[in-house]
Amino acid sequence: MPLFFLIPLFTGLITGYFLNKENDEIGYISGVLTAISLIFSLILAPWQVQLGLLVVVLFGSKKLLQKKMYE
């Protein structure tokens, strides 16, 4: 399984981490670009990774909904 989809993810996360401390517009722009790179890397991810994330989201949301109903 090629791991080239991790390149935009790590690039965005590293850039967002270093520029997150800025209070100017550059901090907000880096946050938006980090979110875009996360979406882009999920699009490029192999189907096994996408399926695994889908299963985690479905079962995690079901457990959270059940927990919230009983509170």
Side-chain angles (χ1 to χ4, degrees), residues 1 5 38-58:
M1 172 171 41
F5 70 96
L38 173 67
I39 292 168
F40 185 65
S41 65
L42 287 176
I43 291 170
L44 291 177
W47 67 269
Q48 295 96 342
V49 174
Q50 292 177 354
L51 182 66
L53 287 173
L54 180 66
V55 168
V56 168
V57 168
L58 287 177

PDB file of all heavy atoms in Angstrom, residues 1 5 38-58:
ATOM      1  N   MET A   1       0.848  -1.165   0.000  1.00  0.00           N
ATOM      2  CA  MET A   1       0.000   0.000   0.000  1.00  0.00           C
ATOM      3  C   MET A   1       0.901   1.238   0.000  1.00  0.00           C
ATOM      4  O   MET A   1       1.688   1.427   0.924  1.00  0.00           O
ATOM      5  CB  MET A   1      -0.889  -0.032   1.245  1.00  0.00           C
ATOM      6  CG  MET A   1      -1.672   1.208   1.445  1.00  0.00           C
ATOM      7  SD  MET A   1      -2.945   1.178   2.743  1.00  0.00           S
ATOM      8  CE  MET A   1      -2.249   0.318   4.090  1.00  0.00           C
ATOM      9  N   PHE A   5      -0.207   9.406   0.343  1.00  0.00           N
ATOM     10  CA  PHE A   5      -1.271  10.279   0.804  1.00  0.00           C
ATOM     11  C   PHE A   5      -0.905  10.973   2.123  1.00  0.00           C
ATOM     12  O   PHE A   5      -1.547  11.946   2.518  1.00  0.00           O
ATOM     13  CB  PHE A   5      -2.585   9.508   0.966  1.00  0.00           C
ATOM     14  CG  PHE A   5      -2.596   8.528   2.106  1.00  0.00           C
ATOM     15  CD1 PHE A   5      -3.114   8.885   3.326  1.00  0.00           C
ATOM     16  CD2 PHE A   5      -2.097   7.250   1.949  1.00  0.00           C
ATOM     17  CE1 PHE A   5      -3.140   7.987   4.376  1.00  0.00           C
ATOM     18  CE2 PHE A   5      -2.115   6.343   2.981  1.00  0.00           C
ATOM     19  CZ  PHE A   5      -2.634   6.717   4.204  1.00  0.00           C
ATOM     20  N   LEU A  38      -5.915  17.981   4.982  1.00  0.00           N
ATOM     21  CA  LEU A  38      -6.477  16.781   5.606  1.00  0.00           C
ATOM     22  C   LEU A  38      -7.521  16.148   4.689  1.00  0.00           C
ATOM     23  O   LEU A  38      -7.511  14.933   4.460  1.00  0.00           O
ATOM     24  CB  LEU A  38      -7.103  17.118   6.954  1.00  0.00           C
ATOM     25  CG  LEU A  38      -7.873  15.998   7.636  1.00  0.00           C
ATOM     26  CD1 LEU A  38      -6.928  14.884   8.042  1.00  0.00           C
ATOM     27  CD2 LEU A  38      -8.637  16.509   8.823  1.00  0.00           C
ATOM     28  N   ILE A  39      -8.400  16.954   4.136  1.00  0.00           N
ATOM     29  CA  ILE A  39      -9.417  16.435   3.222  1.00  0.00           C
ATOM     30  C   ILE A  39      -8.760  15.849   1.972  1.00  0.00           C
ATOM     31  O   ILE A  39      -9.141  14.773   1.499  1.00  0.00           O
ATOM     32  CB  ILE A  39     -10.417  17.551   2.863  1.00  0.00           C
ATOM     33  CG1 ILE A  39     -11.227  17.927   4.097  1.00  0.00           C
ATOM     34  CG2 ILE A  39     -11.348  17.115   1.734  1.00  0.00           C
ATOM     35  CD1 ILE A  39     -12.037  19.182   3.946  1.00  0.00           C
ATOM     36  N   PHE A  40      -7.755  16.546   1.450  1.00  0.00           N
ATOM     37  CA  PHE A  40      -7.056  16.069   0.255  1.00  0.00           C
ATOM     38  C   PHE A  40      -6.357  14.734   0.518  1.00  0.00           C
ATOM     39  O   PHE A  40      -6.388  13.832  -0.309  1.00  0.00           O
ATOM     40  CB  PHE A  40      -6.055  17.128  -0.207  1.00  0.00           C
ATOM     41  CG  PHE A  40      -5.358  16.796  -1.482  1.00  0.00           C
ATOM     42  CD1 PHE A  40      -6.054  16.706  -2.666  1.00  0.00           C
ATOM     43  CD2 PHE A  40      -3.995  16.571  -1.504  1.00  0.00           C
ATOM     44  CE1 PHE A  40      -5.412  16.394  -3.853  1.00  0.00           C
ATOM     45  CE2 PHE A  40      -3.339  16.262  -2.672  1.00  0.00           C
ATOM     46  CZ  PHE A  40      -4.055  16.175  -3.855  1.00  0.00           C
ATOM     47  N   SER A  41      -5.739  14.596   1.692  1.00  0.00           N
ATOM     48  CA  SER A  41      -5.048  13.344   1.996  1.00  0.00           C
ATOM     49  C   SER A  41      -6.041  12.201   2.211  1.00  0.00           C
ATOM     50  O   SER A  41      -5.745  11.047   1.892  1.00  0.00           O
ATOM     51  CB  SER A  41      -4.148  13.501   3.216  1.00  0.00           C
ATOM     52  OG  SER A  41      -4.923  13.752   4.363  1.00  0.00           O
ATOM     53  N   LEU A  42      -7.237  12.504   2.730  1.00  0.00           N
ATOM     54  CA  LEU A  42      -8.246  11.454   2.865  1.00  0.00           C
ATOM     55  C   LEU A  42      -8.782  11.028   1.508  1.00  0.00           C
ATOM     56  O   LEU A  42      -9.139   9.863   1.311  1.00  0.00           O
ATOM     57  CB  LEU A  42      -9.393  11.934   3.754  1.00  0.00           C
ATOM     58  CG  LEU A  42      -9.074  12.019   5.236  1.00  0.00           C
ATOM     59  CD1 LEU A  42     -10.259  12.612   5.988  1.00  0.00           C
ATOM     60  CD2 LEU A  42      -8.706  10.677   5.795  1.00  0.00           C
ATOM     61  N   ILE A  43      -8.833  11.954   0.552  1.00  0.00           N
ATOM     62  CA  ILE A  43      -9.253  11.596  -0.801  1.00  0.00           C
ATOM     63  C   ILE A  43      -8.211  10.694  -1.453  1.00  0.00           C
ATOM     64  O   ILE A  43      -8.550   9.744  -2.157  1.00  0.00           O
ATOM     65  CB  ILE A  43      -9.504  12.861  -1.635  1.00  0.00           C
ATOM     66  CG1 ILE A  43     -10.744  13.586  -1.121  1.00  0.00           C
ATOM     67  CG2 ILE A  43      -9.660  12.537  -3.112  1.00  0.00           C
ATOM     68  CD1 ILE A  43     -10.944  14.956  -1.724  1.00  0.00           C
ATOM     69  N   LEU A  44      -6.935  10.974  -1.207  1.00  0.00           N
ATOM     70  CA  LEU A  44      -5.861  10.195  -1.811  1.00  0.00           C
ATOM     71  C   LEU A  44      -5.600   8.871  -1.098  1.00  0.00           C
ATOM     72  O   LEU A  44      -4.887   8.021  -1.619  1.00  0.00           O
ATOM     73  CB  LEU A  44      -4.557  11.006  -1.810  1.00  0.00           C
ATOM     74  CG  LEU A  44      -4.507  12.215  -2.725  1.00  0.00           C
ATOM     75  CD1 LEU A  44      -3.190  12.940  -2.536  1.00  0.00           C
ATOM     76  CD2 LEU A  44      -4.689  11.811  -4.168  1.00  0.00           C
ATOM     77  N   ALA A  45      -6.167   8.700   0.083  1.00  0.00           N
ATOM     78  CA  ALA A  45      -5.904   7.492   0.873  1.00  0.00           C
ATOM     79  C   ALA A  45      -6.454   6.253   0.172  1.00  0.00           C
ATOM     80  O   ALA A  45      -7.455   6.318  -0.542  1.00  0.00           O
ATOM     81  CB  ALA A  45      -6.543   7.628   2.252  1.00  0.00           C
ATOM     82  N   PRO A  46      -5.806   5.112   0.367  1.00  0.00           N
ATOM     83  CA  PRO A  46      -6.313   3.857  -0.201  1.00  0.00           C
ATOM     84  C   PRO A  46      -7.660   3.485   0.412  1.00  0.00           C
ATOM     85  O   PRO A  46      -8.027   3.957   1.489  1.00  0.00           O
ATOM     86  CB  PRO A  46      -5.251   2.831   0.165  1.00  0.00           C
ATOM     87  CG  PRO A  46      -4.102   3.571   0.676  1.00  0.00           C
ATOM     88  CD  PRO A  46      -4.543   4.927   1.045  1.00  0.00           C
ATOM     89  N   TRP A  47      -8.368   2.607  -0.261  1.00  0.00           N
ATOM     90  CA  TRP A  47      -9.713   2.276   0.186  1.00  0.00           C
ATOM     91  C   TRP A  47      -9.713   1.578   1.540  1.00  0.00           C
ATOM     92  O   TRP A  47     -10.690   1.675   2.291  1.00  0.00           O
ATOM     93  CB  TRP A  47     -10.434   1.439  -0.863  1.00  0.00           C
ATOM     94  CG  TRP A  47      -9.874   0.067  -1.079  1.00  0.00           C
ATOM     95  CD1 TRP A  47      -8.924  -0.286  -1.964  1.00  0.00           C
ATOM     96  CD2 TRP A  47     -10.241  -1.123  -0.378  1.00  0.00           C
ATOM     97  NE1 TRP A  47      -8.662  -1.630  -1.869  1.00  0.00           N
ATOM     98  CE2 TRP A  47      -9.464  -2.169  -0.904  1.00  0.00           C
ATOM     99  CE3 TRP A  47     -11.152  -1.410   0.630  1.00  0.00           C
ATOM    100  CZ2 TRP A  47      -9.573  -3.463  -0.447  1.00  0.00           C
ATOM    101  CZ3 TRP A  47     -11.260  -2.708   1.090  1.00  0.00           C
ATOM    102  CH2 TRP A  47     -10.487  -3.721   0.551  1.00  0.00           C
ATOM    103  N   GLN A  48      -8.622   0.892   1.873  1.00  0.00           N
ATOM    104  CA  GLN A  48      -8.568   0.212   3.173  1.00  0.00           C
ATOM    105  C   GLN A  48      -8.588   1.234   4.313  1.00  0.00           C
ATOM    106  O   GLN A  48      -9.261   1.034   5.329  1.00  0.00           O
ATOM    107  CB  GLN A  48      -7.312  -0.653   3.288  1.00  0.00           C
ATOM    108  CG  GLN A  48      -7.273  -1.801   2.339  1.00  0.00           C
ATOM    109  CD  GLN A  48      -6.501  -1.509   1.072  1.00  0.00           C
ATOM    110  OE1 GLN A  48      -6.263  -0.353   0.728  1.00  0.00           O
ATOM    111  NE2 GLN A  48      -6.109  -2.544   0.355  1.00  0.00           N
ATOM    112  N   VAL A  49      -7.847   2.323   4.139  1.00  0.00           N
ATOM    113  CA  VAL A  49      -7.806   3.370   5.164  1.00  0.00           C
ATOM    114  C   VAL A  49      -9.154   4.077   5.237  1.00  0.00           C
ATOM    115  O   VAL A  49      -9.673   4.345   6.332  1.00  0.00           O
ATOM    116  CB  VAL A  49      -6.669   4.369   4.856  1.00  0.00           C
ATOM    117  CG1 VAL A  49      -6.693   5.538   5.814  1.00  0.00           C
ATOM    118  CG2 VAL A  49      -5.321   3.669   4.879  1.00  0.00           C
ATOM    119  N   GLN A  50      -9.749   4.374   4.094  1.00  0.00           N
ATOM    120  CA  GLN A  50     -11.044   5.031   4.076  1.00  0.00           C
ATOM    121  C   GLN A  50     -12.121   4.157   4.712  1.00  0.00           C
ATOM    122  O   GLN A  50     -12.960   4.650   5.477  1.00  0.00           O
ATOM    123  CB  GLN A  50     -11.439   5.373   2.639  1.00  0.00           C
ATOM    124  CG  GLN A  50     -10.580   6.443   2.029  1.00  0.00           C
ATOM    125  CD  GLN A  50     -10.939   6.711   0.584  1.00  0.00           C
ATOM    126  OE1 GLN A  50     -11.771   6.012   0.000  1.00  0.00           O
ATOM    127  NE2 GLN A  50     -10.316   7.725   0.004  1.00  0.00           N
ATOM    128  N   LEU A  51     -12.089   2.864   4.427  1.00  0.00           N
ATOM    129  CA  LEU A  51     -13.057   1.943   5.025  1.00  0.00           C
ATOM    130  C   LEU A  51     -12.863   1.859   6.538  1.00  0.00           C
ATOM    131  O   LEU A  51     -13.838   1.853   7.296  1.00  0.00           O
ATOM    132  CB  LEU A  51     -12.936   0.555   4.398  1.00  0.00           C
ATOM    133  CG  LEU A  51     -13.920  -0.494   4.891  1.00  0.00           C
ATOM    134  CD1 LEU A  51     -15.336  -0.120   4.473  1.00  0.00           C
ATOM    135  CD2 LEU A  51     -13.551  -1.857   4.344  1.00  0.00           C
ATOM    136  N   GLY A  52     -11.616   1.817   6.978  1.00  0.00           N
ATOM    137  CA  GLY A  52     -11.351   1.782   8.412  1.00  0.00           C
ATOM    138  C   GLY A  52     -11.845   3.031   9.128  1.00  0.00           C
ATOM    139  O   GLY A  52     -12.447   2.949  10.202  1.00  0.00           O
ATOM    140  N   LEU A  53     -11.629   4.193   8.532  1.00  0.00           N
ATOM    141  CA  LEU A  53     -12.129   5.426   9.121  1.00  0.00           C
ATOM    142  C   LEU A  53     -13.650   5.470   9.137  1.00  0.00           C
ATOM    143  O   LEU A  53     -14.260   5.959  10.093  1.00  0.00           O
ATOM    144  CB  LEU A  53     -11.574   6.631   8.363  1.00  0.00           C
ATOM    145  CG  LEU A  53     -10.112   6.944   8.599  1.00  0.00           C
ATOM    146  CD1 LEU A  53      -9.653   8.051   7.663  1.00  0.00           C
ATOM    147  CD2 LEU A  53      -9.877   7.340  10.034  1.00  0.00           C
ATOM    148  N   LEU A  54     -14.273   4.954   8.079  1.00  0.00           N
ATOM    149  CA  LEU A  54     -15.730   4.914   8.023  1.00  0.00           C
ATOM    150  C   LEU A  54     -16.302   4.035   9.133  1.00  0.00           C
ATOM    151  O   LEU A  54     -17.270   4.403   9.795  1.00  0.00           O
ATOM    152  CB  LEU A  54     -16.183   4.413   6.658  1.00  0.00           C
ATOM    153  CG  LEU A  54     -17.689   4.314   6.438  1.00  0.00           C
ATOM    154  CD1 LEU A  54     -18.312   5.695   6.466  1.00  0.00           C
ATOM    155  CD2 LEU A  54     -17.973   3.621   5.129  1.00  0.00           C
ATOM    156  N   VAL A  55     -15.689   2.890   9.366  1.00  0.00           N
ATOM    157  CA  VAL A  55     -16.152   1.986  10.424  1.00  0.00           C
ATOM    158  C   VAL A  55     -15.990   2.645  11.787  1.00  0.00           C
ATOM    159  O   VAL A  55     -16.897   2.595  12.633  1.00  0.00           O
ATOM    160  CB  VAL A  55     -15.389   0.644  10.353  1.00  0.00           C
ATOM    161  CG1 VAL A  55     -15.616  -0.192  11.594  1.00  0.00           C
ATOM    162  CG2 VAL A  55     -15.788  -0.119   9.106  1.00  0.00           C
ATOM    163  N   VAL A  56     -14.869   3.305  12.009  1.00  0.00           N
ATOM    164  CA  VAL A  56     -14.630   3.985  13.291  1.00  0.00           C
ATOM    165  C   VAL A  56     -15.661   5.085  13.510  1.00  0.00           C
ATOM    166  O   VAL A  56     -16.225   5.225  14.600  1.00  0.00           O
ATOM    167  CB  VAL A  56     -13.195   4.550  13.341  1.00  0.00           C
ATOM    168  CG1 VAL A  56     -13.017   5.499  14.504  1.00  0.00           C
ATOM    169  CG2 VAL A  56     -12.189   3.424  13.418  1.00  0.00           C
ATOM    170  N   VAL A  57     -15.941   5.862  12.481  1.00  0.00           N
ATOM    171  CA  VAL A  57     -16.913   6.950  12.607  1.00  0.00           C
ATOM    172  C   VAL A  57     -18.314   6.407  12.849  1.00  0.00           C
ATOM    173  O   VAL A  57     -19.050   6.914  13.707  1.00  0.00           O
ATOM    174  CB  VAL A  57     -16.871   7.853  11.354  1.00  0.00           C
ATOM    175  CG1 VAL A  57     -18.057   8.795  11.317  1.00  0.00           C
ATOM    176  CG2 VAL A  57     -15.585   8.641  11.320  1.00  0.00           C
ATOM    177  N   LEU A  58     -18.705   5.368  12.125  1.00  0.00           N
ATOM    178  CA  LEU A  58     -20.051   4.825  12.297  1.00  0.00           C
ATOM    179  C   LEU A  58     -20.262   4.238  13.681  1.00  0.00           C
ATOM    180  O   LEU A  58     -21.271   4.513  14.337  1.00  0.00           O
ATOM    181  CB  LEU A  58     -20.341   3.779  11.230  1.00  0.00           C
ATOM    182  CG  LEU A  58     -20.569   4.315   9.821  1.00  0.00           C
ATOM    183  CD1 LEU A  58     -20.764   3.159   8.850  1.00  0.00           C
ATOM    184  CD2 LEU A  58     -21.759   5.233   9.785  1.00  0.00           C
TER     185      LEU A  58
END
